[in-house]
Amino acid sequence: MNIPAPPEHPPAKKSWLNLGTMAALATIAALLVAVATFVLQFFGPASGLGAASVPGQSTAASSQANVRTETPRSTDPGPTAVEGHCLNGSWASASCDRTHAAELVSDAGPCDLPALTQFAGGNVPADTLRRDLVPTVQDGVGCVVIVPSGLSSTIRNGLSGPDHAALRQCWDRFADRDLSCDQTHTAEVVYTGPGTEAGNCRSQADAYMADAFSRYEARLELLSRDADGGVSCLVQIKGSNVLEGSLRNLGTKALPSSPRS
């Protein structure tokens, strides 16, 4: 009996054609995706396409741009003067280590001798500043004090510094004039304030000199004179001798005196 042979399989050529077609279609699809991505990346932002696809990146970039733009404005203090700063002739801040024209006492508040004395590190009414140290209100700046010609020490806290004599008021009876205590003089102002009995100048001298007046009473004497509606107490050296330094807080130290030349 003859058994029919099984049908032959389709030729292998047909299967290979189907696989090739699928590969071609996949390649074309990949190219289309690449082209679309390229277009969105380079031309999308200009035409408004794809703007919503990366909101995080857009927000971060905008925030960073704002920080770079606004930070300098918020941290820049501007040219305003600061209390205690030294000033040049144009009222701008200057280095106190160099020659300067003025010092800013305060940008607000009282502008008088007590305020200036406290600015200089002194105590009212014991410490009396030299006469050419005068507080003045300067429009747009504040309360200022002009630095006298030849003064090299800083006024701020100067009364508590080593050069305090240059800021204090003294008097020379031989020349009959007021001058600073770093110059040769015969008397030093130890109190300026409301009127007081002449006898009270002794207690003011004791406080000013740290109880030293009684130690030198044989060589020193007390004076008083009217001063701007009040009184000034002075300690003066007797005879023809002169003083060559300040009596402030003299204590038990030697009297800074010498014969008049």
Side-chain angles (χ1 to χ4, degrees):
M1 181 173 133
N2 293 329
I3 299 174
E8 296 182 358
H9 292 288
K13 181 176 181 180
K14 184 175 181 180
S15 297
W16 284 109
L17 288 175
N18 289 339
L19 292 175
T21 301
M22 293 175 63
L25 291 175
T27 301
I28 294 173
L31 289 174
L32 290 175
V33 171
V35 170
T37 302
F38 175 84
V39 171
L40 287 175
Q41 182 177 358
F42 291 96
F43 298 100
S47 59
L49 297 176
S53 60
V54 284
Q57 179 179 356
S58 175
T59 301
S62 175
S63 176
Q64 186 176 5
N66 289 336
V67 170
R68 285 196 296 265
T69 302
E70 296 175 3
T71 297
R73 289 198 298 269
S74 62
T75 58
D76 183 6
T80 57
V82 178
E83 182 177 349
H85 274 199
C86 297
L87 308 172
N88 61 23
S90 301
W91 309 115
S93 295
S95 173
C96 292
D97 295 332
R98 302 178 182 178
T99 301
H100 49 280
E103 293 186 28
L104 179 64
V105 178
S106 174
D107 55 5
C111 189
D112 51 23
L113 281 174
L116 177 58
T117 302
Q118 293 177 357
F119 171 81
N123 297 318
V124 178
D127 296 302
T128 302
L129 294 171
R130 52 191 280 180
R131 288 190 177 276
D132 52 2
L133 290 178
V134 181
T136 304
V137 176
Q138 177 65 34
D139 292 342
V141 180
C143 181
V144 302
V145 54
I146 304 299
V147 177
S149 176
L151 181 63
S152 58
S153 60
T154 304
I155 298 173
R156 186 181 190 185
N157 295 326
L159 288 176
S160 58
D163 300 323
H164 63 99
L167 302 179
R168 300 186 183 279
Q169 182 180 331
C170 284
W171 181 66
D172 182 16
R173 71 170 179 271
F174 299 113
D176 191 21
R177 68 185 182 96
D178 290 309
L179 37 68
S180 57
C181 295
D182 60 337
Q183 303 180 60
T184 301
H185 55 279
T186 59
E188 181 167 354
V189 179
V190 299
Y191 169 90
T192 299
T196 181
E197 297 178 3
N200 288 339
C201 280
R202 174 180 290 273
S203 62
Q204 303 295 346
D206 287 342
Y208 186 89
M209 300 173 63
D211 296 331
F213 179 76
S214 59
R215 291 172 53 85
Y216 298 100
E217 193 167 2
R219 301 173 60 187
L220 300 175
E221 61 184 348
L222 292 170
L223 302 175
S224 64
R225 65 183 183 184
D226 295 336
D228 299 327
V231 66
S232 287
C233 296
L234 298 86
V235 173
Q236 177 169 263
I237 192 166
K238 298 177 180 179
S240 60
N241 292 330
V242 294
L243 295 169
E244 296 181 328
S246 174
L247 301 175
R248 183 62 159 146
N249 295 324
L250 182 65
T252 59
K253 296 190 291 290
L255 192 67
S257 65
S258 65
R260 180 171 178 253
S261 58

